[in-house]
Amino acid sequence: MSYLAFSKSAARFLTEKTGLSPEKEVVLAYSIELLALNLGNILFTLLLAALLGVLPGVLSCLAAAFLFRHTAGGAHSNSPWRCAAVTIAVYPAMALLAVFLSQYGQTLTGVLAAAALLTGLVTLAVLAPVDSPAAPIISPHRRKKLKVLSFAVLASVAAAIFFFRRSDWLYAPQIQVCLALSVLWVSFMLGKPGHRLMCLVDRIKIREVRNL
Amino acid sequence: MSKIAVRLIVFATTTLLFLANVFAASACGSYHYQPEVPESLRR
């Protein structure tokens, strides 16, 4: 199992102090890595969102995407740093696009939301849940449960869009578009185009910085 | 090590083991990256 150095050392420290078995050390490293990556991704994305003035939109995008990714899965990068770069770039960009699109009134927002929900419904019905070799879904029962949960998330997002459509809040139109764009993004990441995009991201060469 | 520190370590370890099960039960643990799930948590 390959985890980042800080996850391994923190897991080793906790295992030594509590006297757990070496098997549990791997489980702890996995948990620490995911917790740190999720918190880091969310923190830096919200920081950029605050700087760009699109915090409510990005919060709604992150919440919708988090729920969809946990139930429906999707394409992954091979590197946690590239994943962070994609997350930090995509969600604020999505919120900025939402600010632009929400200027065109409720008709466009409604059409976009309907198209996104329909696309999401079809994609989830056909593809969800999408697993990866690193986290295979072995049990058919678990697969079925995740599919049902992903439909529940889509229904919740539809209810949220409906709620914000009736709301007078200043950010309501922006959040409606953000939720619709999040559903489209998640649908894209479930299919082959999303997997191709992540392969492309993994192939981008980054020059190594070496300490002399 | 003080008693409070030991209790904190035990609490952190228990919470992390619980979270590992929650993460392993979902289709994807993070936004666009998935570390390898330990064999004992695969299902």
Side-chain angles (χ1 to χ4, degrees):
Chain A
M1 303 269 163
S2 59
Y3 298 115
L4 296 170
F6 76 89
S7 315
K8 283 183 194 169
S9 52
R12 196 174 307 125
F13 171 79
L14 291 174
T15 313
E16 279 170 12
K17 294 293 173 194
T18 52
L20 287 169
S21 64
E23 289 156 26
K24 293 287 180 198
E25 187 180 323
V26 181
V27 176
L28 282 173
Y30 167 73
S31 183
I32 292 166
E33 181 141 325
L34 270 178
L35 196 65
L37 290 175
N38 275 326
L39 289 177
N41 279 350
I42 291 169
L43 191 75
F44 284 107
T45 309
L46 290 180
L47 204 67
L48 183 61
L51 287 172
L52 295 171
V54 287
L55 197 58
V58 168
L59 262 172
S60 61
C61 284
L62 281 176
F66 182 84
L67 293 172
F68 272 119
R69 295 289 292 183
H70 280 257
T71 53
H76 295 102
S77 166
N78 290 332
S79 148
W81 311 119
R82 286 165 201 260
C83 152
V86 170
T87 308
I88 294 166
V90 164
Y91 296 106
M94 220 182 264
L96 285 173
L97 181 64
V99 171
F100 173 73
L101 291 175
S102 61
Q103 293 171 346
Y104 293 96
Q106 283 282 25
T107 315
L108 180 76
T109 308
V111 170
L112 189 68
L117 290 172
L118 193 68
T119 310
L121 188 71
V122 174
T123 320
L124 289 180
V126 177
L127 300 170
V130 175
D131 57 354
S132 66
I137 302 169
I138 301 162
S139 152
H141 173 70
R142 193 176 146 225
R143 190 171 283 278
K144 200 175 170 183
K145 198 172 138 188
L146 286 169
K147 195 173 193 104
V148 171
L149 282 172
S150 64
F151 281 123
V153 171
L154 186 70
S156 308
V157 169
I161 291 174
F162 186 73
F163 170 79
F164 284 112
R165 199 171 172 77
R166 289 172 163 256
S167 167
D168 294 329
W169 191 34
L170 179 70
Y171 293 105
Q174 186 188 323
I175 290 177
Q176 282 176 66
V177 181
C178 276
L179 289 173
L181 292 176
S182 300
V183 174
L184 286 175
W185 172 253
V186 168
S187 306
F188 172 73
M189 294 307 282
L190 284 174
K192 275 185 184 169
H195 284 80
R196 279 197 206 108
L197 176 73
M198 291 320 274
C199 282
L200 199 73
V201 169
D202 283 336
R203 266 188 266 153
I204 296 170
K205 283 186 182 170
I206 301 167
R207 193 192 288 173
E208 275 183 47
V209 179
R210 292 177 191 204
N211 293 325
L212 295 171
Chain B
M1 198 179 279
S2 70
K3 268 187 178 179
I4 295 172
V6 173
R7 278 182 190 171
L8 272 174
I9 288 171
V10 171
F11 177 73
T13 309
T14 313
T15 311
L16 285 168
L17 288 175
F18 169 73
L19 281 175
N21 279 286
V22 174
F23 287 133
S26 61
C28 166
S30 181
Y31 280 97
H32 300 101
Y33 173 67
Q34 176 63 58
E36 211 173 331
V37 177
E39 288 290 337
S40 59
L41 294 179
R42 290 189 182 187
R43 52 182 178 262

